[in-house]
Amino acid sequence: MRKAILAGNWKMYKTNAEAAQFMQDAAVLTASEDLEFVICAPFTTLGALTELAAHTPIKIGAQNMHHSEQGAFTGEISPIMLKHLGVQYVIVGHSERRTYFHEDNAFIAAKVKAAFQHSLIPILCVGETLMQYEANETEVVVREQTETALQGLSSEQVKQLVVAYEPVWAIGTGKTASAQDANHVIGYIRQIIAGQFDSTVADQVRILYGGSVKPENIAQFMAESDIDGALVGGASLAFESFKELAKAIEG
Ligand code: PGA
């Protein structure tokens, strides 16, 4: 069975002091056999957080990285740098990166490969924009995003992959996809992976829903057969809210 994931995406929020406070509060969380906790934090906080998180069940992720090991890429961070800090996960292809920083599917695919090469687990974000949703293009869009990102990976790598289906129109808007619709698209993503690899591989990939997930609505997503957890932005910032999310999953 797939182990569920509750992943927070802090985006461009929290100073080191604020991040440290969250992690100190998180010492009350109890580790669970059935649920993994991940916090994807700003680069500036990662070094401190990987140490502080050792007293909690939380694993630390980055929100982005460059695909090269090193080089003349001013302002960028490499997979090696993350690995050396003790980071375990990295969000790749978040819609805010695609939209504001023009990251395309090929660039994102290079990052996914680089993550695996350095034993980081990528959390690959896919999802359609409002315009694509209204034009009924959701399946075409997630197919292209998923297939391109997974090209050239081994089955063993794909089994470890985490995908987050995040309809762009649901991110930070307070609107969510219905749990049934999210489950349908996530089931479709699993079919795409089964086609590209096989169903044994597809059955092991953990696929999360993201987009305005809150303590009040997370249970309905978790109740769906193909949804293995959530990638949460706004509602992951305050520790009390993160704890409520965990409580709602654990029931
Ligand atoms: P949100 O963000 O939960 O604030 O909608 C989700 C995300 O961007 O991953």
Side-chain angles (χ1 to χ4, degrees):
M1 263 319 283
R2 300 182 295 262
K3 187 168 183 178
I5 303 184
L6 172 60
N9 172 14
W10 282 356
K11 309 194 180 188
M12 198 172 72
Y13 293 96
K14 290 195 193 290
T15 61
N16 262 316
E18 290 163 344
Q21 184 61 56
F22 181 107
M23 215 43 79
Q24 275 153 21
D25 295 344
V28 302
L29 282 179
T30 39
S32 151
E33 283 293 300
D34 311 316
L35 177 63
E36 214 175 310
F37 301 105
V38 180
I39 289 286
C40 299
F43 289 135
T44 45
T45 65
L46 293 176
L49 283 186
T50 50
E51 287 185 17
L52 290 168
H55 307 287
T56 77
I58 297 179
K59 294 174 180 167
I60 300 300
Q63 299 170 16
N64 181 34
M65 64 170 199
H66 197 274
H67 57 78
S68 303
E69 294 188 344
Q70 55 181 19
F73 299 106
T74 301
E76 290 292 306
I77 300 288
S78 85
I80 292 182
M81 295 169 185
L82 296 178
K83 195 65 199 168
H84 277 253
L85 287 179
V87 168
Q88 291 174 271
Y89 285 85
V90 59
I91 296 176
V92 172
H94 190 278
S95 68
E96 285 149 19
R97 302 288 323 164
R98 294 178 190 263
T99 306
Y100 304 133
F101 304 98
H102 312 293
E103 295 193 8
D104 63 17
N105 286 335
F107 191 53
I108 291 161
K111 294 183 191 218
V112 171
K113 246 189 222 88
F116 279 123
Q117 273 158 9
H118 295 283
S119 309
L120 294 161
I121 298 178
I123 302 175
L124 168 70
C125 298
V126 300
E128 80 286 359
T129 63
L130 183 59
M131 245 169 69
Q132 291 163 335
Y133 175 73
E134 285 173 346
N136 254 325
E137 291 171 359
T138 301
E139 295 193 350
V140 181
V141 171
V142 299
R143 174 176 287 279
E144 196 178 347
Q145 290 173 334
T146 307
E147 283 184 346
T148 314
L150 270 54
Q151 245 162 43
L153 296 179
S154 70
S155 297
E156 285 316 304
Q157 289 172 329
V158 177
K159 284 179 190 170
Q160 294 174 59
L161 177 74
V162 178
V163 177
Y165 167 58
E166 300 201 306
V168 179
W169 48 270
I171 296 177
T173 57
K175 290 185 205 139
T176 63
S178 73
Q180 292 73 20
D181 286 352
N183 192 55
H184 176 80
V185 179
I186 287 174
Y188 180 71
I189 294 169
R190 221 178 276 291
Q191 276 175 35
I192 296 169
I193 300 172
Q196 213 175 351
F197 295 85
D198 60 49
S199 58
T200 324
V201 172
D203 283 345
Q204 292 193 42
V205 178
R206 291 178 294 173
I207 312 184
L208 319 180
Y209 168 76
S212 297
V213 173
K214 307 266 179 292
E216 306 80 62
N217 63 23
I218 193 166
Q220 70 196 55
F221 293 103
M222 297 305 297
E224 296 290 332
S225 58
D226 271 299
I227 304 182
D228 302 317
L231 181 58
V232 187
S236 74
L237 287 168
F239 177 70
E240 276 310 306
S241 170
F242 189 80
K243 201 173 72 180
E244 290 302 311
L245 289 163
K247 217 163 85 185
I249 294 178
E250 285 170 326

